[in-house]
Amino acid sequence: MRILEIKDEKRAQRELQKLGADPQGVTLMAPKAVFRAVRLKKVRSVSANILKQEMLSLGGEAATSYGAINLSSKYTPLLITGTLKQFRQLIAKLKIHQFGLPRIAETLEQSLKNYDQSPPPIKIGPRTLRFGQRTYIMGILNVTPDSFSDGGKFHKLEDALSQAHRLIAAGADIIDIGGESTRPGAKNVPVHEELKRVIPVISALRKKKILISIDTRKAAVAEAALSAGAHIINDISALRHDPRMAKVAAKYKVPVILMHMLKNPKTMQKNPVYKDLIFDIMTYFQESLEIAGRAGIKENRLIIDPGFGFGKTVEHNLEILKRLKEFKVLGRPILIGTSRKSTIGKILSLPPSERLMGTAATVAIAISNGVDIIRVHDVAAMKKAAKMTDAIVRRL
Ligand code: 7PM
């Protein structure tokens, strides 16, 4: 005998076909071969109890807190477990209930769908990023005098451009240009200084086929960069640092990378604490998605990034990589930047210049766990790591 790992319905269908089940049987049995465990953060106890009864009657389960059973607490978290078939039946039943259950049904339905699908493509200028087909590579171009791994080598325009051309030649899909160091504890860079660093580089690269993202928290810098030819905003504050940022993104109709960070670059590494790491980050994303929506940014232009290293301990960063797939329920493309970061340095006891293999391991795991875009310094090396991992992971 063998034990199979059946992670989704497509895989289940193929296993059933291989064994010679009739086509109708395949359709009927595949949803019974896939198991899901769904966590809801906070549900009214009355609703939770009804949901539990319904799921029990379908042969599944829904665990609540003890206080929800005797209604001593008004709200409870929920862990619903069952097969896709049971979830589908549960959703159908909840839709005709009251007590907020139809809304829970909608969320369940959308989340389960998002988890099993690739996010919709994003059109950026002349290009379309089709997610799921392969991993896209964002090459880092620091134009700060104090960037930790390039030691400010690329401060001058010529150096920056030759580095950009190396990234392009190595196969980068996007070049991320940043003139504001976000090193923990770094000083704020004035707008005019940030502009002086990034605009000449963007102007020089705009004729190239490459996509350009502007790594900034400032609306004025983003707007100047977009006018100069940048295609994407990479905002490590997820539209929270500068209240005008969302408006600029809406005006230029560009994709925005929403990165999670605890507090700000000055304070983020001082004893970061989470109630529930993944839930806290997801709630943060949800709030930023709402800020974006209110400003008129189309939902399908938003990319999420858990912010590896931004207000996280080594343990937090490892947990994010291991559980990255959980962010898929939001239905947005996922980007991650682990390149040469201190978590790798701490585990391997190595300086930034020797973190290439450690970075490659994080890239492989991130791809295996559903990432769409990786942000890296070493494009040529990580392109190979990504291509190899894609060949293993992105197949039927
Ligand atoms: C000092 C400390 C210098 C940290 C540079 C860094 C990310 C990012 C950065 C990321 C997105 C680095 C970071 N990291 N943008 N910008 N995601 N979206 O190591 O993880 O490059 S700066």
Side-chain angles (χ1 to χ4, degrees):
M1 63 152 259
R2 291 154 62 205
I3 291 177
L4 310 179
E5 191 165 38
I6 300 183
K7 289 187 183 159
D8 55 59
E9 204 171 353
K10 277 214 188 76
R11 186 74 219 290
Q13 286 167 352
R14 265 191 314 280
E15 288 301 335
L16 290 161
Q17 279 156 1
K18 247 198 291 189
L19 127 176
D22 92 320
Q24 244 191 319
V26 170
T27 312
L28 238 49
M29 290 184 279
K32 298 182 186 177
V34 183
F35 173 85
R36 294 281 177 256
V38 177
R39 275 273 271 120
L40 294 177
K41 185 150 77 179
K42 192 178 166 192
V43 178
R44 281 167 62 198
S45 296
V46 249
S47 319
N49 284 323
I50 298 167
L51 190 149
K52 183 181 176 84
Q53 284 183 34
E54 295 290 8
M55 198 50 165
L56 281 173
S57 81
L58 294 165
E61 183 56 278
T64 67
S65 70
Y66 182 68
I69 302 166
N70 58 11
L71 294 178
S72 67
S73 33
K74 188 153 187 251
Y75 295 97
T76 177
L78 263 180
L79 179 67
I80 318 172
T81 49
T83 64
L84 280 184
K85 159 122 185 180
Q86 289 162 339
F87 271 101
R88 282 173 197 159
Q89 290 173 314
L90 176 70
I91 287 162
K93 282 187 165 185
L94 296 182
K95 280 185 177 172
I96 54 172
H97 267 288
Q98 16 171 359
F99 302 112
L101 289 166
R103 226 181 67 91
I104 294 176
E106 293 293 331
T107 310
L108 268 177
E109 191 169 37
Q110 193 59 55
S111 300
L112 287 166
K113 209 168 123 196
N114 289 342
Y115 188 77
D116 282 325
Q117 286 181 352
S118 293
I122 300 186
K123 276 187 65 181
I124 310 175
R127 282 198 55 186
T128 301
L129 300 182
R130 287 176 208 287
F131 301 107
Q133 296 185 347
R134 69 176 175 90
T135 306
Y136 292 98
I137 317 273
M138 170 185 273
I140 301 169
L141 184 57
N142 276 320
V143 284
T144 57
D146 61 342
S147 66
F148 81 100
S149 49
D150 294 320
K153 262 189 298 183
F154 303 106
H155 191 34
K156 293 205 301 288
L157 179 61
E158 250 127 89
D159 291 346
L161 290 179
S162 64
Q163 172 66 353
H165 292 133
R166 256 194 301 282
L167 296 174
I168 296 170
D173 299 289
I174 306 164
I175 293 187
D176 188 41
I177 303 178
E180 174 198 44
S181 176
T182 43
R183 182 199 298 269
K187 284 200 295 271
N188 271 329
V189 180
V191 171
H192 67 89
E193 175 61 29
E194 214 178 316
L195 290 174
K196 208 166 74 187
R197 293 175 185 175
V198 299
I199 299 301
V201 184
I202 295 169
S203 305
L205 290 176
R206 74 172 306 159
K207 287 144 261 157
K208 302 269 167 200
K209 269 212 330 258
I210 195 84
L211 292 174
I212 299 168
S213 78
I214 172 70
D215 183 349
T216 188
R217 294 180 294 165
K218 301 188 186 81
V221 175
E223 179 144 33
L226 294 169
S227 310
H231 307 91
I232 303 168
I233 298 173
N234 176 19
D235 181 2
I236 63 154
S237 85
L239 305 173
R240 290 153 195 246
H241 179 75
D242 187 332
R244 280 190 47 242
M245 186 61 109
K247 284 269 172 285
V248 170
K251 178 175 163 195
Y252 285 81
K253 302 189 191 316
V254 289
V256 183
I257 298 157
L258 303 170
M259 195 196 77
H260 172 269
M261 166 166 54
L262 198 66
K263 295 176 270 187
N264 62 61
K266 281 207 186 91
T267 53
M268 63 187 182
Q269 287 307 94
K270 292 184 185 140
N271 186 33
V273 187
Y274 295 86
K275 225 170 112 205
D276 178 308
L277 178 72
I278 303 296
F279 255 143
D280 289 2
I281 296 174
M282 279 185 42
T283 305
Y284 186 93
F285 285 146
Q286 245 150 6
E287 286 162 9
S288 281
L289 292 171
E290 280 160 28
I291 296 172
R294 281 199 296 276
I297 307 174
K298 277 215 223 142
E299 170 137 6
N300 61 14
R301 293 208 175 96
L302 299 165
I303 296 165
I304 57 174
D305 176 347
F308 193 92
F310 284 84
K312 281 122 189 148
T313 62
V314 169
E315 283 306 311
H316 291 146
N317 288 319
L318 299 178
E319 186 172 345
I320 285 169
L321 268 180
K322 182 157 184 176
R323 314 184 80 165
L324 197 64
K325 194 165 261 160
E326 296 183 17
F327 296 113
K328 278 182 62 98
V329 298
L330 293 172
R332 308 311 322 143
I334 302 170
L335 180 150
I336 199 164
T338 57
S339 189
R340 302 183 189 172
K341 280 184 180 169
S342 67
T343 288
I344 298 167
K346 282 176 186 152
I347 287 180
L348 302 180
S349 305
L350 289 170
S353 61
E354 292 174 58
R355 295 176 188 168
L356 188 72
M357 302 312 286
T359 300
T362 63
V363 162
I365 293 294
I367 295 170
S368 173
N369 289 339
V371 89
D372 298 290
I373 307 169
I374 52 167
R375 181 181 179 277
V376 294
H377 299 88
D378 308 282
V379 170
M382 295 313 141
K383 180 104 183 161
K384 287 183 216 157
K387 195 170 179 184
M388 192 63 225
T389 313
D390 283 348
I392 301 165
V393 171
R394 301 187 194 275
R395 52 171 33 240
L396 296 178

